[in-house]
């Protein structure tokens, strides 16, 4: 709604301005008509422009509803709110606005004025000069506009990319991970040291920490993992956010032997949802041999740790821990007449335990578990001497039917899509996500060579940004085709339709400049801004060219420079007013871009604002020049078709 609010009054502006101008002309006419009839005719005159412009706005938002995942959850409601509010605005402009015009405008004092206000007269004077130049040099105007467009497009390959704009949540979530097997006491000491270091950062107000999470928790964590929430002070800091984060990383670097990942409460969890890893980028290595996986993970870490922008680089914790192996002797089991399944079940009871009953203590209920005492389950010689009963009643030590030994093995084995994997994760700071990951991929492809059966995938925000961008771009092509078909269904002319759609590349010029001036980074939010702008930019072309056609069809004008100048001047005020109110509504969103809550709307607003400025200013000279250059035959064909309809 914040983005749409300026656009909502656009339909009413076009309607009211046209009614006002026609009523004033009628007032000054020698044979004035009934004001009610003038209001009706003036509203009908612009009705098609308003309706088709609204249909186009709805069409360009359809790609948003195809987005899945987090981006879909964020931007689909924006599309719903925008479409419903624009449709409501159309309904009001077609019904309520003409009625209000008939009540309020006919008796206005301004109706007696024979000329426009000072500002409008000055604007029309400047526009007249511009139009005379453009219509005298239409090819030069078209070539200049084309050069501007291609120059603007040439900047795109140099832009950075990211999934969503960085959030500013006013707090941090920091994950500390010690080696597997670290005791709660030791993990608590490490967490305390980390908190003490964080409190040395001037902007930090307080910290809170959770070490480990319960086994039945949805996000169960062992005690070697800690999560620290860091709250910042409310007063403004003289340092930037990046400088504060750099200070935090330096302070935590003194805590040795732990992996550190710095994020924010919401964005941290978004990363976890995207890739299962609490980091922006997850490099996953798949294969069969865990030791080989760990070796390649180490190679990847060594190759990318010095890449600019890569921070919080970690390899998934995996250590070798002693494991008890009891390997049954098949021949011995057969000799004693024992069943393999029964032996395994008995061994499981002895060493792991099994619930045999329950004990009630008032309202409390406790399981009774049968197993060997703790001291007999940790000593290998005692385990070997543990007695088991054969079917004949004979008691034999376990070592008679099994080989028992300790052997080191991995503390955890992670799988994804049934395949073993290990993850190298990192965040990106001081640089855009897209170019950083591209450099990471290049380094890995050049220096890390995996054998057959091993492969690498990239997950996290980079993967989501890439897939969402591709989907939006593909579906935007269908939206543009939809716009073409909608306009063609009305004008029945390819030339006129393409001339109206010319405003879209004119708008892109300003949008690209706006992105360049605000950091040169594209995100999904920027693409949403481009989508929104496509619909808004088409409105001006529809209004301008529809009025040229109206002047020739209904007011006896000929196709010449005089008609185009008249039509352009009569549409100057509504074009400028619709652009101005849309721009004014967006300006608050472009201020304080780091303010919490504005991070996603800021790139949307800047892209639309830049595009509005370029499309409005260039439209004042390019559309008239192009219509003068190519529009005569198309207009003649359109009028012939309209005459045939009337005769039928």
């Amino acid at each position: 709604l914040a983005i749409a609010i300026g656009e909502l009054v656009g339909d009413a502006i076009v309607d009211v301005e046209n009614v006002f101008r026609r009523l004033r002309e009628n007032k000054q006419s020698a044979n004035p008509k009934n004001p009610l009839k003038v209001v009706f005719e003036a509203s009908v005159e612009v009705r098609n422009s308003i309706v088709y412009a609204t249909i186009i706005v709805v069409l360009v938002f359809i790609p948003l509803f195809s987005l899945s995942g987090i981006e879909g959850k964020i931007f689909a409601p924006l599309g719903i709110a925008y479409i419903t509010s624009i449709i409501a605005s159309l309904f009001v402009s077609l019904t309520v606005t003409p009625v209000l015009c008939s009540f309020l405008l006919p008796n206005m004092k301004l109706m007696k004025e024979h000329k426009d206000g000072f500002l409008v007269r000055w604007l029309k004077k400047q526009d007249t000069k511009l139009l005379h130049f453009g219509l005298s040099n239409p090819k030069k105007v078209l070539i200049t506009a084309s050069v501007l467009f291609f120059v603007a497009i040439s900047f795109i390959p140099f832009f950075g990319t990211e999934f969503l704009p960085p959030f500013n949540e006013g707090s941090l979530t920091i994950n500390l991970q010690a080696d597997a097997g670290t005791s709660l006491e030791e993990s608590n000491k490490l967490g305390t040291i980390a908190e003490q270091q964080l409190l040395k950062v001037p902007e930090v107000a307080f910290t809170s920490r959770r070490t480990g999470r319960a086994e039945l928790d949805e996000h169960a964590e062992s005690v070697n993992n800690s999560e620290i929430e860091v709250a910042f002070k409310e007063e403004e800091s003289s340092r930037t956010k990046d400088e504060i984060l750099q200070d935090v990383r330096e302070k935590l670097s003194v805590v040795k032997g732990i992996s550190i990942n710095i994020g924010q409460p919401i964005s941290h969890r978004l990363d976890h949802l995207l890739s299962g890893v609490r980091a922006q980028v997850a490099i996953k290595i798949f294969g069969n041999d865990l030791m080989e996986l760990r070796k390649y993970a180490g190679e990847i870490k060594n190759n990318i740790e010095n890449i600019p922008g890569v921070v919080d680089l970690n390899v998934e914790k995996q250590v070798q821990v002693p494991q008890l192996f009891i390997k049954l002797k098949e021949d011995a089991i057969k000799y004693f007449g024992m069943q393999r399944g029964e032996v395994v079940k008995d061994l499981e009871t002895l060493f792991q335990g099994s619930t045999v009953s329950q004990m009630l203590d008032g309202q409390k209920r406790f399981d009774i578990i049968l197993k060997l005492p703790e001291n007999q389950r940790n000593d290998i010689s005692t385990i070997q001497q543990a007695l088991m009963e054969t079917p004949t009643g004979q008691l034999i030590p376990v070592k008679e039917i099994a080989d028992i030994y300790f052997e080191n093995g991995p503390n955890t084995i992670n799988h994804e899509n049934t395949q073993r994997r290990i993850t190298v994760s990192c965040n990106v700071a001081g640089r855009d996500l897209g170019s950083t990951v591209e450099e990471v991929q290049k380094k890995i492809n050049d220096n890390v060579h995996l054998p057959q059966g091993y492969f690498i995938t990239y997950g996290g925000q980079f993967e989501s940004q890439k897939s969402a961008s591709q989907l939006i771009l593909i579906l935007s092509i269908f939206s543009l085709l939809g716009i073409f078909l909608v306009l063609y269904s009305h004008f029945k002319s390819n030339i006129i339709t393409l001339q109206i759609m010319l405003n879209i590349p004119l708008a892109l010029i300003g949008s690209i400049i706006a992105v360049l001036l605000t950091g040169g980074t594209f995100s999904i939010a920027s693409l949403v801004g481009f989508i929104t702008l496509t619909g808004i930019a088409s409105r001006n072309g529809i209004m301008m060219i529809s009025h040229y056609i109206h002047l020739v069809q209904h007011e006896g004008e000929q196709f010449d420079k005089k008609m185009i100048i008249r039509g352009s001047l009569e549409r100057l005020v509504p074009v400028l007013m619709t652009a101005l109110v849309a721009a004014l509504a967006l300006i608050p969103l472009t201020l304080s871009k780091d303010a919490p809550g504005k991070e996603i709307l800021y790139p949307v607003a800047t892209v639309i604002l830049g595009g509005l400025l370029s499309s409005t200013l260039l439209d004042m000279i390019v559309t008239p020049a192009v219509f003068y250059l190519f529009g005569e035959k198309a207009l003649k064909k359109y009028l012939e078709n309209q005459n045939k309809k009337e005769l039928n």
Side-chain angles (χ1 to χ4, degrees), residues 479-489 493-494 497-498 501:
S479 288
L480 290 173
L481 290 174
I483 292 171
F484 180 88
L485 292 173
V486 166
L487 293 173
Y488 185 82
S489 68
S493 168
N494 293 330
T497 299
L498 290 173
M501 293 182 70

Side-chain angles (χ1 to χ4, degrees), residues 38 141 171 199 242 349 357 363 396 412 437 541 585:
V38 175
V141 170
S171 59
L199 291 171
D242 289 339
T349 299
S357 184
Q363 296 297 317
I396 58 171
T412 180
V437 175

Side-chain angles (χ1 to χ4, degrees), residues 4-14 89 578 581:
I5 194 166
E7 183 75 2
L8 294 181
V9 295
D11 293 342
I13 285 173
V14 174
S89 166
T578 52
V581 294

Side-chain angles (χ1 to χ4, degrees), residues 408-434:
N408 287 337
N411 67 305
T412 180
I413 302 175
N414 291 316
H415 291 79
E416 192 170 314
N417 295 326
T418 72
Q419 292 178 299
R420 291 181 172 184
R421 64 112 172 117
I422 191 168
T423 303
V424 180
S425 62
C426 67
N427 290 322
V428 176
R431 188 179 174 188
D432 71 279
L433 181 68

Side-chain angles (χ1 to χ4, degrees), residues 607-624:
V607 164
I608 297 173
L609 190 58
L612 273 175
L613 290 173
S614 67
S615 66
T616 303
L617 295 175
L618 291 172
D619 177 63
M620 292 165 66
I621 185 171
V622 175
T623 298

Side-chain angles (χ1 to χ4, degrees), residues 10 50 71 84 144 281 358 393:
I50 293 171
E71 61 273 25
T84 51
T144 303
V281 182
Q358 286 186 330

Side-chain angles (χ1 to χ4, degrees), residues 419-455:
Q419 292 178 299
R420 291 181 172 184
R421 64 112 172 117
I422 191 168
T423 303
V424 180
S425 62
C426 67
N427 290 322
V428 176
R431 188 179 174 188
D432 71 279
L433 181 68
S435 64
T436 305
V437 175
E438 283 178 9
E439 188 171 347
V440 165
Q441 288 177 320
K442 187 176 184 304
K443 279 269 190 179
I444 292 173
N445 292 337
D446 292 345
N447 301 318
V448 181
H449 305 288
L450 301 179
Q452 189 174 1
Y454 291 76
F455 62 94

